[in-house]
Amino acid sequence: MASLLLTVVLLTGPPILLVWMVGWPSVDTPRVALWQWVRDPLTEQNLILLLVGLAWLLWAFVAYLVTAATATRVWAGVRWLRRLPLPTPWQATATGMAGAAALTIATPTTPTPDASHQGTTTSTTGTGTGTDIVEQADTVDGVAVPGGWLPRDVAEQVTAAAGLVWLRRRRAYRPTRPHRHSQDAQDLAPLPATVAAIQAATGSRPPPPAPAPAAGLPPVGFPPAGVGLTGPGARDAARGLLITALLATMRQNTVELVITRRAVDMLLGPAAPHLRPGAGLRIVDTAAHATTLPADATPALPDGAEGGRRVLILDEPPPSSLATSGATMVVLAAWPHATTWHVEADGHTHASDTATAGPRVCVLDAVATTDLLTVTGHLHPPAPNTPTQPQPQVRVPRPTAPHHDTIRPDKRMLVRVLGEPALLIDGTALTVRRTAARHALVFLAVHPDGVDSHLMAEALWPGLPGQRLTGRLYTTLSELRTAARTTGLPIIDRTGDRYRLHPDHVDVDLWHFHRAVDRAAAILTDPSTAWQAVVDAYAGDLAAGHTWEWLDPHRESIRRHVLDAYAALAAAASHPRQALAYLQDGIRVDPYNADLHHRAASILASLGEHIAAADLTDRYTRRLAPAGLTAEGALIRGGT
């Protein structure tokens, strides 16, 4: 506005002043005026006329400059509207560097005394070794995710529970004839977005030392005698307690959670009808019913376990005449007969009648709670807010002409993602310095048909604000382009807002594996050769050694194709020993699969090797024990 006002003053002010003071320029008798000026140039009239002429010329020059600049900008705007360009990687990089420099200048390097209580994010930068600028959604004492805040130990329990979900799926899978699995297969569905954000926050760096717990607090973080909750974070704190108690039950079976139906409706909203009772969870009709449950319903404690108790979440205070010995009651309202906590939205608490600060408790909104209930196994059907990560792609099997599935010599770039990821140019492995660039390389290899940039950014950096991801994605893809610059060929093909590895210049081992699976699923004659081709194309787990949150569905889908091939080869084997060898190879690929162990133990028993069958069963049981899993009767023991 200031620039516009100055421009208007420069264009209109001088003409108005000149006309008001001198009048309009007159050119009636230019020859007479010129002759008078030659005869006597220093007269007052001639000097005034000279100054007026110079003033008009100066104004004309300014008007020309303004007009030219305006026309240039208008034309540039028209060209920009014709083709809306996105920021180039170099522009994104420069912007990021400038922002980082400004942040470094503006942010004090010495932490403030109360920094540990702030819910802001922290950032760490690389030191020239090629590490990424990583922005963590965590603090010293916990992890912040979209929809809430979790203490660090609770976040780590969520990560462990998510890992158990995939181990259970691996254990329960029954290999069949090689085929393409349905995209909506429930046991291949990615875990919800909140779980992915917690996994990213807890797995991105070693956790700092956990703060010492407050004296006298049980594992769930609330006073043993009970508490009423008020304030903007009251219901969020109750949801956090719900998740914390269920996770504690999964880990040690030391907590039983009892909740009233009305409290379930208040906390979960539309997802409330899908909450089902189960291990460590009971749903009752009223607060009176909750407080009069028999004492023998409390969880049985393992030998040496401490802190076992019943936790009650009530929608209203219980009758004063009723009490439950040894139970922690949490009421979603002020409670005159017990302590009442005022809970802030970020989880900080303080007693309502005093200014004494209490502990910071886990707080979760309804969406985040629904997401986390999927990993505890208490929500059925699954949570409706599915993650934004792309699911394993489905390919329709189609007969193809037989050919050797080797790397094409006309493609100079090879991407290997089965096993340790690598980018090779003319057979030489290149060093991709940025971790995010390697991450993006694997992600694009898994999605040969391309993926939208927003989905890609959210999968690579789950839990971070969307407005911060665009520049980070451009910088990451620029690193890949720079790595392949020596070939003179583009490694990435972009169509609109969709990216993929350029199919004309890049070859990927995973693509050959999928083609082998397609042929094995469609072939009718000599299937054993096709199944063996699937086995030969498998060089290891997808992106072995990496724990990126989006990997599990794709990694498990690939692993199942290999198990299908081994099971099919074993079924077609002409001798039990040969079938056993195939099954043992399949067990090496997935040592958690119960069906392969069952088949192998059955063959050993049929061969009379009962001790070997028992040893196989015992080794499998011991492998499952550290994860808290059992074989669930899937195995035979000693052939019986």
Side-chain angles (χ1 to χ4, degrees), residues 265-299:
D265 294 335
M266 294 169 62
L267 298 181
L268 299 185
H274 305 305
L275 183 69
R276 61 182 181 184
L281 175 64
R282 299 182 66 177
I283 302 176
V284 297
D285 294 327
T286 64
H289 184 195
T291 55
T292 55
L293 288 175
D296 58 0
T298 56

PDB file of all heavy atoms in Angstrom, residues 265-299:
ATOM      1  N   ASP A 265     -19.237 -43.881  25.094  1.00  0.00           N
ATOM      2  CA  ASP A 265     -19.864 -42.993  24.103  1.00  0.00           C
ATOM      3  C   ASP A 265     -19.264 -41.594  24.171  1.00  0.00           C
ATOM      4  O   ASP A 265     -19.043 -40.949  23.135  1.00  0.00           O
ATOM      5  CB  ASP A 265     -21.373 -42.922  24.348  1.00  0.00           C
ATOM      6  CG  ASP A 265     -22.063 -44.254  24.098  1.00  0.00           C
ATOM      7  OD1 ASP A 265     -21.517 -45.064  23.306  1.00  0.00           O
ATOM      8  OD2 ASP A 265     -23.133 -44.493  24.692  1.00  0.00           O
ATOM      9  N   MET A 266     -19.000 -41.107  25.376  1.00  0.00           N
ATOM     10  CA  MET A 266     -18.437 -39.769  25.532  1.00  0.00           C
ATOM     11  C   MET A 266     -17.022 -39.683  24.967  1.00  0.00           C
ATOM     12  O   MET A 266     -16.640 -38.653  24.396  1.00  0.00           O
ATOM     13  CB  MET A 266     -18.427 -39.382  27.013  1.00  0.00           C
ATOM     14  CG  MET A 266     -19.800 -39.214  27.637  1.00  0.00           C
ATOM     15  SD  MET A 266     -19.745 -39.081  29.440  1.00  0.00           S
ATOM     16  CE  MET A 266     -18.773 -37.591  29.644  1.00  0.00           C
ATOM     17  N   LEU A 267     -16.256 -40.755  25.085  1.00  0.00           N
ATOM     18  CA  LEU A 267     -14.838 -40.698  24.709  1.00  0.00           C
ATOM     19  C   LEU A 267     -14.598 -41.045  23.247  1.00  0.00           C
ATOM     20  O   LEU A 267     -13.718 -40.464  22.612  1.00  0.00           O
ATOM     21  CB  LEU A 267     -14.026 -41.654  25.598  1.00  0.00           C
ATOM     22  CG  LEU A 267     -14.029 -41.350  27.098  1.00  0.00           C
ATOM     23  CD1 LEU A 267     -13.166 -42.346  27.843  1.00  0.00           C
ATOM     24  CD2 LEU A 267     -13.558 -39.923  27.371  1.00  0.00           C
ATOM     25  N   LEU A 268     -15.362 -41.981  22.692  1.00  0.00           N
ATOM     26  CA  LEU A 268     -15.059 -42.475  21.342  1.00  0.00           C
ATOM     27  C   LEU A 268     -16.014 -41.985  20.271  1.00  0.00           C
ATOM     28  O   LEU A 268     -15.715 -42.111  19.086  1.00  0.00           O
ATOM     29  CB  LEU A 268     -15.040 -44.016  21.344  1.00  0.00           C
ATOM     30  CG  LEU A 268     -14.012 -44.671  22.255  1.00  0.00           C
ATOM     31  CD1 LEU A 268     -14.025 -46.184  22.061  1.00  0.00           C
ATOM     32  CD2 LEU A 268     -12.618 -44.119  21.982  1.00  0.00           C
ATOM     33  N   GLY A 269     -17.175 -41.472  20.643  1.00  0.00           N
ATOM     34  CA  GLY A 269     -18.092 -40.956  19.636  1.00  0.00           C
ATOM     35  C   GLY A 269     -18.565 -42.033  18.678  1.00  0.00           C
ATOM     36  O   GLY A 269     -19.040 -43.105  19.098  1.00  0.00           O
ATOM     37  N   PRO A 270     -18.455 -41.816  17.349  1.00  0.00           N
ATOM     38  CA  PRO A 270     -18.965 -42.795  16.375  1.00  0.00           C
ATOM     39  C   PRO A 270     -18.309 -44.171  16.474  1.00  0.00           C
ATOM     40  O   PRO A 270     -18.903 -45.168  16.056  1.00  0.00           O
ATOM     41  CB  PRO A 270     -18.650 -42.140  15.024  1.00  0.00           C
ATOM     42  CG  PRO A 270     -18.513 -40.682  15.314  1.00  0.00           C
ATOM     43  CD  PRO A 270     -17.947 -40.600  16.686  1.00  0.00           C
ATOM     44  N   ALA A 271     -17.100 -44.249  16.999  1.00  0.00           N
ATOM     45  CA  ALA A 271     -16.417 -45.540  17.100  1.00  0.00           C
ATOM     46  C   ALA A 271     -16.821 -46.323  18.339  1.00  0.00           C
ATOM     47  O   ALA A 271     -16.397 -47.478  18.499  1.00  0.00           O
ATOM     48  CB  ALA A 271     -14.902 -45.337  17.100  1.00  0.00           C
ATOM     49  N   ALA A 272     -17.634 -45.741  19.213  1.00  0.00           N
ATOM     50  CA  ALA A 272     -17.984 -46.402  20.475  1.00  0.00           C
ATOM     51  C   ALA A 272     -18.639 -47.768  20.272  1.00  0.00           C
ATOM     52  O   ALA A 272     -18.311 -48.717  20.990  1.00  0.00           O
ATOM     53  CB  ALA A 272     -18.879 -45.490  21.311  1.00  0.00           C
ATOM     54  N   PRO A 273     -19.576 -47.940  19.311  1.00  0.00           N
ATOM     55  CA  PRO A 273     -20.202 -49.266  19.158  1.00  0.00           C
ATOM     56  C   PRO A 273     -19.224 -50.365  18.766  1.00  0.00           C
ATOM     57  O   PRO A 273     -19.544 -51.549  18.916  1.00  0.00           O
ATOM     58  CB  PRO A 273     -21.249 -49.036  18.054  1.00  0.00           C
ATOM     59  CG  PRO A 273     -21.513 -47.569  18.066  1.00  0.00           C
ATOM     60  CD  PRO A 273     -20.207 -46.943  18.423  1.00  0.00           C
ATOM     61  N   HIS A 274     -18.052 -49.997  18.255  1.00  0.00           N
ATOM     62  CA  HIS A 274     -17.098 -50.999  17.781  1.00  0.00           C
ATOM     63  C   HIS A 274     -16.093 -51.418  18.851  1.00  0.00           C
ATOM     64  O   HIS A 274     -15.286 -52.309  18.602  1.00  0.00           O
ATOM     65  CB  HIS A 274     -16.348 -50.478  16.554  1.00  0.00           C
ATOM     66  CG  HIS A 274     -17.258 -50.049  15.446  1.00  0.00           C
ATOM     67  ND1 HIS A 274     -18.217 -50.868  14.912  1.00  0.00           N
ATOM     68  CD2 HIS A 274     -17.351 -48.870  14.773  1.00  0.00           C
ATOM     69  CE1 HIS A 274     -18.863 -50.229  13.949  1.00  0.00           C
ATOM     70  NE2 HIS A 274     -18.360 -49.015  13.859  1.00  0.00           N
ATOM     71  N   LEU A 275     -16.122 -50.759  20.028  1.00  0.00           N
ATOM     72  CA  LEU A 275     -15.225 -51.168  21.095  1.00  0.00           C
ATOM     73  C   LEU A 275     -15.750 -52.457  21.710  1.00  0.00           C
ATOM     74  O   LEU A 275     -16.904 -52.532  22.134  1.00  0.00           O
ATOM     75  CB  LEU A 275     -15.126 -50.075  22.166  1.00  0.00           C
ATOM     76  CG  LEU A 275     -14.159 -50.364  23.317  1.00  0.00           C
ATOM     77  CD1 LEU A 275     -12.724 -50.322  22.816  1.00  0.00           C
ATOM     78  CD2 LEU A 275     -14.349 -49.352  24.448  1.00  0.00           C
ATOM     79  N   ARG A 276     -14.920 -53.452  21.761  1.00  0.00           N
ATOM     80  CA  ARG A 276     -15.347 -54.753  22.273  1.00  0.00           C
ATOM     81  C   ARG A 276     -14.545 -55.120  23.521  1.00  0.00           C
ATOM     82  O   ARG A 276     -13.345 -54.834  23.604  1.00  0.00           O
ATOM     83  CB  ARG A 276     -15.181 -55.828  21.205  1.00  0.00           C
ATOM     84  CG  ARG A 276     -13.744 -56.001  20.742  1.00  0.00           C
ATOM     85  CD  ARG A 276     -13.660 -57.048  19.658  1.00  0.00           C
ATOM     86  NE  ARG A 276     -12.284 -57.246  19.213  1.00  0.00           N
ATOM     87  CZ  ARG A 276     -11.942 -58.049  18.211  1.00  0.00           C
ATOM     88  NH1 ARG A 276     -12.874 -58.701  17.551  1.00  0.00           N
ATOM     89  NH2 ARG A 276     -10.680 -58.192  17.871  1.00  0.00           N
ATOM     90  N   PRO A 277     -15.195 -55.744  24.500  1.00  0.00           N
ATOM     91  CA  PRO A 277     -14.448 -56.217  25.673  1.00  0.00           C
ATOM     92  C   PRO A 277     -13.433 -57.268  25.248  1.00  0.00           C
ATOM     93  O   PRO A 277     -13.575 -57.928  24.221  1.00  0.00           O
ATOM     94  CB  PRO A 277     -15.546 -56.812  26.557  1.00  0.00           C
ATOM     95  CG  PRO A 277     -16.830 -56.246  26.047  1.00  0.00           C
ATOM     96  CD  PRO A 277     -16.628 -56.017  24.584  1.00  0.00           C
ATOM     97  N   GLY A 278     -12.413 -57.395  26.027  1.00  0.00           N
ATOM     98  CA  GLY A 278     -11.377 -58.366  25.726  1.00  0.00           C
ATOM     99  C   GLY A 278     -10.394 -58.439  26.859  1.00  0.00           C
ATOM    100  O   GLY A 278     -10.721 -58.110  28.018  1.00  0.00           O
ATOM    101  N   ALA A 279      -9.186 -58.845  26.530  1.00  0.00           N
ATOM    102  CA  ALA A 279      -8.153 -58.979  27.545  1.00  0.00           C
ATOM    103  C   ALA A 279      -7.922 -57.646  28.240  1.00  0.00           C
ATOM    104  O   ALA A 279      -7.532 -56.667  27.609  1.00  0.00           O
ATOM    105  CB  ALA A 279      -6.858 -59.474  26.905  1.00  0.00           C
ATOM    106  N   GLY A 280      -8.214 -57.596  29.533  1.00  0.00           N
ATOM    107  CA  GLY A 280      -7.967 -56.396  30.321  1.00  0.00           C
ATOM    108  C   GLY A 280      -9.017 -55.329  30.193  1.00  0.00           C
ATOM    109  O   GLY A 280      -8.841 -54.236  30.751  1.00  0.00           O
ATOM    110  N   LEU A 281     -10.131 -55.560  29.496  1.00  0.00           N
ATOM    111  CA  LEU A 281     -11.156 -54.529  29.307  1.00  0.00           C
ATOM    112  C   LEU A 281     -12.539 -55.111  29.575  1.00  0.00           C
ATOM    113  O   LEU A 281     -12.914 -56.147  29.000  1.00  0.00           O
ATOM    114  CB  LEU A 281     -11.098 -53.968  27.887  1.00  0.00           C
ATOM    115  CG  LEU A 281     -12.194 -52.954  27.529  1.00  0.00           C
ATOM    116  CD1 LEU A 281     -12.070 -51.695  28.395  1.00  0.00           C
ATOM    117  CD2 LEU A 281     -12.138 -52.590  26.054  1.00  0.00           C
ATOM    118  N   ARG A 282     -13.285 -54.419  30.438  1.00  0.00           N
ATOM    119  CA  ARG A 282     -14.674 -54.778  30.699  1.00  0.00           C
ATOM    120  C   ARG A 282     -15.528 -53.539  30.540  1.00  0.00           C
ATOM    121  O   ARG A 282     -15.138 -52.440  30.956  1.00  0.00           O
ATOM    122  CB  ARG A 282     -14.844 -55.364  32.108  1.00  0.00           C
ATOM    123  CG  ARG A 282     -14.049 -56.637  32.346  1.00  0.00           C
ATOM    124  CD  ARG A 282     -14.293 -57.199  33.738  1.00  0.00           C
ATOM    125  NE  ARG A 282     -15.676 -57.654  33.895  1.00  0.00           N
ATOM    126  CZ  ARG A 282     -16.132 -58.238  34.999  1.00  0.00           C
ATOM    127  NH1 ARG A 282     -15.332 -58.422  36.039  1.00  0.00           N
ATOM    128  NH2 ARG A 282     -17.386 -58.641  35.074  1.00  0.00           N
ATOM    129  N   ILE A 283     -16.712 -53.696  29.950  1.00  0.00           N
ATOM    130  CA  ILE A 283     -17.655 -52.596  29.756  1.00  0.00           C
ATOM    131  C   ILE A 283     -18.900 -52.910  30.576  1.00  0.00           C
ATOM    132  O   ILE A 283     -19.509 -53.985  30.417  1.00  0.00           O
ATOM    133  CB  ILE A 283     -18.014 -52.420  28.263  1.00  0.00           C
ATOM    134  CG1 ILE A 283     -16.740 -52.172  27.447  1.00  0.00           C
ATOM    135  CG2 ILE A 283     -18.996 -51.263  28.083  1.00  0.00           C
ATOM    136  CD1 ILE A 283     -16.982 -52.073  25.956  1.00  0.00           C
ATOM    137  N   VAL A 284     -19.274 -51.980  31.451  1.00  0.00           N
ATOM    138  CA  VAL A 284     -20.429 -52.171  32.328  1.00  0.00           C
ATOM    139  C   VAL A 284     -21.457 -51.090  32.046  1.00  0.00           C
ATOM    140  O   VAL A 284     -21.185 -50.101  31.349  1.00  0.00           O
ATOM    141  CB  VAL A 284     -19.997 -52.137  33.805  1.00  0.00           C
ATOM    142  CG1 VAL A 284     -19.048 -53.288  34.111  1.00  0.00           C
ATOM    143  CG2 VAL A 284     -19.347 -50.807  34.154  1.00  0.00           C
ATOM    144  N   ASP A 285     -22.650 -51.280  32.628  1.00  0.00           N
ATOM    145  CA  ASP A 285     -23.753 -50.360  32.328  1.00  0.00           C
ATOM    146  C   ASP A 285     -23.688 -49.071  33.131  1.00  0.00           C
ATOM    147  O   ASP A 285     -23.908 -47.987  32.597  1.00  0.00           O
ATOM    148  CB  ASP A 285     -25.091 -51.064  32.578  1.00  0.00           C
ATOM    149  CG  ASP A 285     -25.331 -52.207  31.602  1.00  0.00           C
ATOM    150  OD1 ASP A 285     -24.878 -52.081  30.443  1.00  0.00           O
ATOM    151  OD2 ASP A 285     -25.951 -53.212  31.987  1.00  0.00           O
ATOM    152  N   THR A 286     -23.393 -49.159  34.414  1.00  0.00           N
ATOM    153  CA  THR A 286     -23.444 -47.986  35.277  1.00  0.00           C
ATOM    154  C   THR A 286     -22.232 -47.933  36.188  1.00  0.00           C
ATOM    155  O   THR A 286     -21.511 -48.920  36.356  1.00  0.00           O
ATOM    156  CB  THR A 286     -24.718 -48.007  36.142  1.00  0.00           C
ATOM    157  OG1 THR A 286     -24.667 -49.130  37.025  1.00  0.00           O
ATOM    158  CG2 THR A 286     -25.974 -48.080  35.273  1.00  0.00           C
ATOM    159  N   ALA A 287     -22.069 -46.756  36.820  1.00  0.00           N
ATOM    160  CA  ALA A 287     -20.980 -46.593  37.781  1.00  0.00           C
ATOM    161  C   ALA A 287     -21.190 -47.492  38.992  1.00  0.00           C
ATOM    162  O   ALA A 287     -20.228 -48.042  39.544  1.00  0.00           O
ATOM    163  CB  ALA A 287     -20.884 -45.128  38.213  1.00  0.00           C
ATOM    164  N   ALA A 288     -22.445 -47.668  39.412  1.00  0.00           N
ATOM    165  CA  ALA A 288     -22.714 -48.546  40.546  1.00  0.00           C
ATOM    166  C   ALA A 288     -22.310 -49.980  40.228  1.00  0.00           C
ATOM    167  O   ALA A 288     -21.749 -50.690  41.073  1.00  0.00           O
ATOM    168  CB  ALA A 288     -24.193 -48.476  40.924  1.00  0.00           C
ATOM    169  N   HIS A 289     -22.569 -50.403  39.004  1.00  0.00           N
ATOM    170  CA  HIS A 289     -22.183 -51.752  38.599  1.00  0.00           C
ATOM    171  C   HIS A 289     -20.660 -51.891  38.618  1.00  0.00           C
ATOM    172  O   HIS A 289     -20.124 -52.913  39.046  1.00  0.00           O
ATOM    173  CB  HIS A 289     -22.732 -52.048  37.210  1.00  0.00           C
ATOM    174  CG  HIS A 289     -22.469 -53.447  36.742  1.00  0.00           C
ATOM    175  ND1 HIS A 289     -22.613 -53.830  35.409  1.00  0.00           N
ATOM    176  CD2 HIS A 289     -22.063 -54.553  37.407  1.00  0.00           C
ATOM    177  CE1 HIS A 289     -22.305 -55.117  35.306  1.00  0.00           C
ATOM    178  NE2 HIS A 289     -21.974 -55.578  36.506  1.00  0.00           N
ATOM    179  N   ALA A 290     -19.946 -50.857  38.154  1.00  0.00           N
ATOM    180  CA  ALA A 290     -18.488 -50.917  38.100  1.00  0.00           C
ATOM    181  C   ALA A 290     -17.889 -51.034  39.490  1.00  0.00           C
ATOM    182  O   ALA A 290     -16.894 -51.736  39.701  1.00  0.00           O
ATOM    183  CB  ALA A 290     -17.933 -49.687  37.392  1.00  0.00           C
ATOM    184  N   THR A 291     -18.489 -50.340  40.465  1.00  0.00           N
ATOM    185  CA  THR A 291     -17.907 -50.332  41.804  1.00  0.00           C
ATOM    186  C   THR A 291     -18.297 -51.544  42.629  1.00  0.00           C
ATOM    187  O   THR A 291     -17.782 -51.731  43.740  1.00  0.00           O
ATOM    188  CB  THR A 291     -18.344 -49.062  42.563  1.00  0.00           C
ATOM    189  OG1 THR A 291     -19.782 -48.997  42.568  1.00  0.00           O
ATOM    190  CG2 THR A 291     -17.777 -47.830  41.895  1.00  0.00           C
ATOM    191  N   THR A 292     -19.184 -52.381  42.115  1.00  0.00           N
ATOM    192  CA  THR A 292     -19.594 -53.559  42.872  1.00  0.00           C
ATOM    193  C   THR A 292     -19.168 -54.848  42.200  1.00  0.00           C
ATOM    194  O   THR A 292     -19.688 -55.924  42.523  1.00  0.00           O
ATOM    195  CB  THR A 292     -21.127 -53.568  43.029  1.00  0.00           C
ATOM    196  OG1 THR A 292     -21.752 -53.487  41.732  1.00  0.00           O
ATOM    197  CG2 THR A 292     -21.588 -52.409  43.888  1.00  0.00           C
ATOM    198  N   LEU A 293     -18.233 -54.787  41.275  1.00  0.00           N
ATOM    199  CA  LEU A 293     -17.728 -56.005  40.660  1.00  0.00           C
ATOM    200  C   LEU A 293     -17.037 -56.862  41.708  1.00  0.00           C
ATOM    201  O   LEU A 293     -16.384 -56.335  42.619  1.00  0.00           O
ATOM    202  CB  LEU A 293     -16.749 -55.671  39.530  1.00  0.00           C
ATOM    203  CG  LEU A 293     -17.363 -55.097  38.247  1.00  0.00           C
ATOM    204  CD1 LEU A 293     -16.251 -54.708  37.287  1.00  0.00           C
ATOM    205  CD2 LEU A 293     -18.296 -56.098  37.588  1.00  0.00           C
ATOM    206  N   PRO A 294     -17.141 -58.182  41.611  1.00  0.00           N
ATOM    207  CA  PRO A 294     -16.501 -59.045  42.608  1.00  0.00           C
ATOM    208  C   PRO A 294     -14.996 -58.882  42.599  1.00  0.00           C
ATOM    209  O   PRO A 294     -14.378 -58.597  41.577  1.00  0.00           O
ATOM    210  CB  PRO A 294     -16.927 -60.456  42.188  1.00  0.00           C
ATOM    211  CG  PRO A 294     -17.280 -60.329  40.728  1.00  0.00           C
ATOM    212  CD  PRO A 294     -17.849 -58.953  40.575  1.00  0.00           C
ATOM    213  N   ALA A 295     -14.412 -59.072  43.724  1.00  0.00           N
ATOM    214  CA  ALA A 295     -12.972 -58.892  43.860  1.00  0.00           C
ATOM    215  C   ALA A 295     -12.194 -59.896  43.050  1.00  0.00           C
ATOM    216  O   ALA A 295     -11.068 -59.631  42.623  1.00  0.00           O
ATOM    217  CB  ALA A 295     -12.560 -58.990  45.333  1.00  0.00           C
ATOM    218  N   ASP A 296     -12.756 -61.069  42.777  1.00  0.00           N
ATOM    219  CA  ASP A 296     -11.999 -62.078  42.046  1.00  0.00           C
ATOM    220  C   ASP A 296     -11.872 -61.743  40.575  1.00  0.00           C
ATOM    221  O   ASP A 296     -11.258 -62.486  39.824  1.00  0.00           O
ATOM    222  CB  ASP A 296     -12.637 -63.458  42.209  1.00  0.00           C
ATOM    223  CG  ASP A 296     -14.096 -63.480  41.731  1.00  0.00           C
ATOM    224  OD1 ASP A 296     -14.589 -62.406  41.277  1.00  0.00           O
ATOM    225  OD2 ASP A 296     -14.716 -64.541  41.817  1.00  0.00           O
ATOM    226  N   ALA A 297     -12.489 -60.648  40.132  1.00  0.00           N
ATOM    227  CA  ALA A 297     -12.345 -60.251  38.740  1.00  0.00           C
ATOM    228  C   ALA A 297     -11.084 -59.459  38.478  1.00  0.00           C
ATOM    229  O   ALA A 297     -10.770 -59.141  37.341  1.00  0.00           O
ATOM    230  CB  ALA A 297     -13.552 -59.415  38.299  1.00  0.00           C
ATOM    231  N   THR A 298     -10.341 -59.071  39.506  1.00  0.00           N
ATOM    232  CA  THR A 298      -9.102 -58.334  39.303  1.00  0.00           C
ATOM    233  C   THR A 298      -8.083 -59.220  38.628  1.00  0.00           C
ATOM    234  O   THR A 298      -8.095 -60.437  38.777  1.00  0.00           O
ATOM    235  CB  THR A 298      -8.534 -57.833  40.646  1.00  0.00           C
ATOM    236  OG1 THR A 298      -8.377 -58.958  41.508  1.00  0.00           O
ATOM    237  CG2 THR A 298      -9.468 -56.819  41.267  1.00  0.00           C
ATOM    238  N   PRO A 299      -7.175 -58.649  37.858  1.00  0.00           N
ATOM    239  CA  PRO A 299      -6.242 -59.468  37.089  1.00  0.00           C
ATOM    240  C   PRO A 299      -5.291 -60.249  37.982  1.00  0.00           C
ATOM    241  O   PRO A 299      -4.840 -59.766  39.022  1.00  0.00           O
ATOM    242  CB  PRO A 299      -5.485 -58.436  36.245  1.00  0.00           C
ATOM    243  CG  PRO A 299      -5.628 -57.164  37.009  1.00  0.00           C
ATOM    244  CD  PRO A 299      -6.968 -57.218  37.659  1.00  0.00           C
TER     245      PRO A 299
END
